[in-house]
Amino acid sequence: MKNIEFPQNFYWGGATAANQCEGAWRQDGKGESCADHYTTGTKEKPRRFTPAFDKNAKYPSHYAIDHYNRYKEDIKLFAEMGFKIYRLSINWTRIFPNGDDECPNQKGLDHYRNVFKTCRKYNIEPLVTMSHYEFPYHLTKKWNGWEDRRTIDCFVKYTTTIMKEYKDLVKYWLTFNEINTPLMGAGITMSLGMMPEQEQWLYGNGNNMSAQTANKIVKGLHNQFLASAKTVKIGRQINPNFKFGCMIASNVVYPYTCKPEDVMEAWKQQQRTNYYCGDVMVRGKYAPFTKDYLKDLGATLEIKPEDSEVLKNGTVDFYSLSYYMSGCATTDKSILEKNKNVFSTAKNPYLKASEWGWQIDPQGLRYYIDETYNRYTIPIFIAENGLGTTDEFINGEIHDPYRIDFLRQHILAVGQAIKDGAVILGYTVWGCIDIVSASTGEMSKRYGLIYVDMDDLGNGTLKRYRKDSFYWYKKLIETNGESL
Ligand code: BG6
C-alpha cells in the first residue's frame, strides 16, 4: 500500500505481560511479587501499594484474565489472527518464588515450556521478556530490590535457568521491560523492585525528584545494566543463535515553542530519558552527557573498574521499544502547570488525547525510530504500541473503529520509517487481548483485539470475543501490510 512495503519475514504479533494477564497468583507455587501488592485504581485515583493485603481492596494481578489457565485458548486465537510472534513475559516468581531460592520451581518451568510449545505448534515465535514490572517481593523487603548488588546474582541465576531450560524453544529475549521508566519518575517499585516511600508512589515527576531518590534510581539501573550484560554473555554461550534486545519506553519530547531554551530543554529530556539506558545497553558504555545529568540530579554513581568490561561484553543485538504518546518540554513553569500532560511534559496543542489523556501522535513513532536507528544502526523491534480505551460490548459484538484507526496510523508510521531506511524486525500490538492496565489497574482501559468479559472489579464470565480490530489485523497480517 501507498509505496510502503514490509519485509517478507516481518514479525507481526501481539504482546502481554505476566502480571497483567496471568492471574493464578497462588497457583503451582508462585511467590509474591511487587505487582501483587498493587490495588486497582482509576484515572483519577492512583493505585495503592500495600505491604499487607487490605481485605477491602482488589488486587488485579491475583486474578487478571486467567491467561495462566487459558493460554491454549488465547494462543489459538492469536494463531487465528496469523500472529508470527507472541511477546510474553516469564514471571520470575513462578520460577524462583522468593527470588533467592536454592532450586527453581518445577511447576513454573513446566508451565512456560507448555506455553512455548503451544506457540511453536502454531508457528508462532515467542519473544520473551525476562522481567516485566514483576519483582520478587521477598527481595524488596530483604535488599530493597535493585538497590543492592546482590540482586544481580539472583537475576542472573533466574535468567540462566530459563535460558538453559528453553534454549530450543525461544530465540528472542528482552532482559528488562521499559528499563528507563524510573528516569521519568515511574516504575520505581514495579521495575526497580524498591519499596515505595509513599503508598501511591507509582508515577512521579522525572524532572523533580529528590537527590536521594535519584541516587537510588541510578544505582538500581546500573545494577540492572550489569545483570542484563551478564545475561547476554551467558546466553550466547548457551545458544549462539539467541538474539537479545533492550526495551526502552520511547519518551518523545518536542519543544513546546521554538524558543531556543525550549528546544534545548526538549533535546536534553529526550537524550537523558531514552539514551541514558539505550547507550549502555547498545554501546556498552554511558553516554557523554551522563556526568552532567548526574550532577543535575544530585546523584553519584559508583562504577567499579570491572563493571566497564561487563557492560562492554554484553551489548544487545536489537533495540526494542514501546510507544504510546509524545509530550512537549518547556522551561516556562506556568505553561507546565496550566497544560499538564503525562509525566513531566506539557500538552501539545496540535494533538488529541485518548480517554486516559495520552496524546495520540503517530508521527512521533516514525520520528523516534528514525532518530534511534540512525544513532545505533541495529535492528529495531516495536514491542508495544496500542490504544487503551473503553469498548462497548453489545450482543457479543465490539465495534472499535477508533482502535483500527490508531493502529493503522501507527503501523503506517512504522512503514514510513522502513522507507526512511530503518531496519525493523517486527511489531507487536500491546495487550493484543484485553488485560489489566499497568498504570491504573483497570480492565476498562482496553487495548485488545480480543475482548475479555471482565469488569474493573474482576466480575464477568472471562469469555473471549473477537473485536472488529481482530479481523482487521488478521487481514493486515495475511497481506503483510498491503491492506493498510
Ligand atoms: C507500558 C508497559 O508502559 O505500557 C505495559 O510496558 C503497560 O506493561 C503499557 O500495560 C500500557 O500502559 P497502561 O498503563 O495503559 O496499561
Side-chain angles (χ1 to χ4, degrees):
M1 105 40 76
K2 296 159 199 106
N3 274 336
I4 283 174
E5 269 181 44
F6 289 87
Q8 271 320 309
N9 50 359
F10 194 73
Y11 279 122
W12 297 103
T16 60
N19 77 86
Q20 292 169 253
C21 69
E22 282 183 351
W25 79 303
R26 288 289 196 211
Q27 207 171 315
D28 294 342
K30 180 188 162 333
E32 268 176 35
S33 73
C34 285
D36 293 330
H37 286 262
Y38 272 106
T39 66
T40 40
T42 65
K43 268 190 276 212
E44 295 78 26
K45 205 167 149 226
R47 304 182 74 175
R48 289 187 300 129
F49 181 94
T50 68
F53 294 110
D54 172 353
K55 276 201 252 60
N56 301 316
K58 287 271 178 193
Y59 296 86
S61 72
H62 296 190
Y63 45 88
I65 60 159
D66 198 29
H67 183 64
Y68 186 79
N69 293 302
R70 294 167 191 249
Y71 70 87
K72 283 191 185 144
E73 179 192 348
D74 294 341
I75 295 173
K76 194 169 171 214
L77 283 165
F78 301 159
E80 190 184 322
M81 269 188 276
F83 277 21
K84 311 280 182 228
I85 201 160
Y86 172 37
R87 175 180 173 230
L88 71 157
S89 67
I90 292 184
N91 211 321
W92 182 352
T93 54
R94 288 200 189 279
I95 309 300
F96 290 98
N98 295 297
D100 61 354
D101 313 70
E102 185 68 33
C103 299
N105 170 27
Q106 191 56 45
K107 285 193 172 159
L109 290 173
D110 293 346
H111 171 73
Y112 292 106
R113 173 169 294 280
N114 292 334
V115 171
F116 300 141
K117 276 186 165 167
T118 309
C119 289
R120 292 272 168 219
K121 182 173 124 190
Y122 295 110
N123 286 323
I124 296 176
E125 184 79 46
L127 164 61
V128 175
T129 320
M130 293 163 152
S131 173
H132 190 137
Y133 291 168
E134 165 68 48
F135 185 84
Y137 187 49
H138 171 71
L139 296 185
T140 298
K141 289 184 288 187
K142 194 171 174 187
W143 293 329
N144 205 29
W146 285 100
E147 192 179 352
D148 196 302
R149 255 180 116 95
R150 284 171 291 187
T151 297
I152 300 175
D153 291 340
C154 293
F155 183 76
V156 173
K157 183 171 171 186
Y158 154 64
T159 56
T160 306
T161 305
I162 56 175
M163 289 190 294
K164 279 190 179 157
E165 187 74 22
Y166 308 124
K167 69 177 189 315
D168 300 321
L169 288 164
V170 177
K171 176 178 172 191
Y172 293 100
W173 304 91
L174 306 178
T175 47
F176 291 98
N177 178 64
E178 295 190 331
I179 193 165
N180 58 325
T181 48
L183 297 175
M184 294 184 260
I188 296 164
T189 303
M190 287 256 198
S191 184
L192 287 174
M194 295 179 186
M195 197 64 97
E197 282 164 12
Q198 306 144 27
E199 207 183 42
Q200 302 185 343
W201 199 28
L202 188 64
Y203 279 112
N205 182 339
N207 283 348
N208 203 13
M209 57 174 90
S210 68
Q212 199 199 7
T213 303
N215 259 311
K216 284 189 192 172
I217 290 177
V218 296
K219 200 168 165 196
L221 284 176
H222 185 67
N223 290 337
Q224 287 190 329
F225 297 149
L226 292 170
S228 174
K230 286 184 175 194
T231 294
V232 170
K233 191 167 176 218
I234 295 170
R236 291 197 175 119
Q237 285 154 10
I238 295 173
N239 184 346
N241 292 327
F242 279 171
K243 296 282 175 216
F244 292 92
C246 57
M247 200 309 203
I248 311 281
S250 317
N251 193 24
V252 173
V253 191
Y254 303 130
Y256 188 75
T257 70
C258 54
K259 212 164 68 184
E261 286 79 1
D262 282 359
V263 176
M264 207 53 223
E265 182 60 27
W267 183 81
K268 213 164 72 180
Q269 281 188 27
Q270 188 152 301
Q271 293 283 310
R272 291 175 169 188
T273 51
N274 298 295
Y275 302 130
Y276 180 87
C277 296
D279 277 15
V280 181
M281 299 183 85
V282 178
R283 294 175 164 168
K285 55 182 186 196
Y286 282 91
F289 59 73
T290 302
K291 222 168 110 198
D292 214 33
Y293 185 22
L294 294 178
K295 207 169 102 211
D296 282 359
L297 288 171
T300 45
L301 177 62
E302 193 211 341
I303 304 180
K304 297 196 175 184
E306 63 271 25
D307 292 356
S308 307
E309 253 333 87
V310 172
L311 297 177
K312 204 171 75 193
N313 293 324
T315 56
V316 293
D317 303 295
F318 64 98
Y319 183 104
S320 86
L321 60 93
S322 61
Y323 176 77
Y324 293 94
M325 62 188 138
S326 61
C328 295
T330 171
T331 49
D332 185 338
K333 289 214 171 69
S334 67
I335 292 175
L336 278 177
E337 272 155 32
K338 270 199 310 249
N339 238 343
K340 211 179 155 338
N341 196 11
V342 183
F343 298 117
S344 35
T345 56
K347 280 205 177 86
N348 186 329
Y350 299 99
L351 299 176
K352 294 204 172 92
S354 74
E355 264 178 272
W356 268 260
W358 292 14
Q359 289 204 294
I360 300 170
D361 175 22
Q363 277 301 310
L365 177 55
R366 178 183 180 183
Y367 167 76
Y368 188 81
I369 296 171
D370 284 353
E371 156 122 345
T372 306
Y373 184 71
N374 283 286
R375 184 181 184 99
Y376 299 128
T377 57
I378 61 169
I380 304 273
F381 196 106
I382 318 302
E384 280 185 35
N385 175 236
L387 176 70
T389 192
T390 48
D391 284 321
E392 253 195 295
F393 177 73
I394 306 167
N395 300 328
E397 292 185 1
I398 304 95
H399 304 297
D400 56 346
Y402 37 87
R403 182 169 293 105
I404 293 174
D405 189 51
F406 180 101
L407 294 174
R408 176 184 288 122
Q409 301 288 341
H410 284 78
I411 294 171
L412 200 56
V414 174
Q416 280 158 339
I418 293 175
K419 236 175 118 190
D420 296 338
V423 173
I424 304 182
L425 299 174
Y427 173 94
T428 46
V429 177
W430 175 249
C432 44
I433 179 164
D434 290 346
I435 57 178
V436 174
S437 152
S439 56
T440 68
E442 293 165 290
M443 245 335 256
S444 47
K445 190 180 186 192
R446 295 173 184 274
Y447 286 86
L449 312 163
I450 299 163
Y451 184 90
V452 178
D453 177 27
M454 190 177 104
D455 67 15
D456 288 338
L457 298 174
N459 303 312
T461 61
L462 288 179
K463 243 186 109 182
R464 277 65 167 148
Y465 296 85
R466 296 164 185 81
K467 302 184 190 178
D468 285 357
S469 52
F470 178 102
Y471 300 103
W472 176 83
Y473 198 48
K474 179 176 177 353
K475 178 93 188 287
L476 184 86
I477 298 177
E478 244 165 47
T479 61
N480 197 33
E482 268 289 307
S483 62
L484 207 60

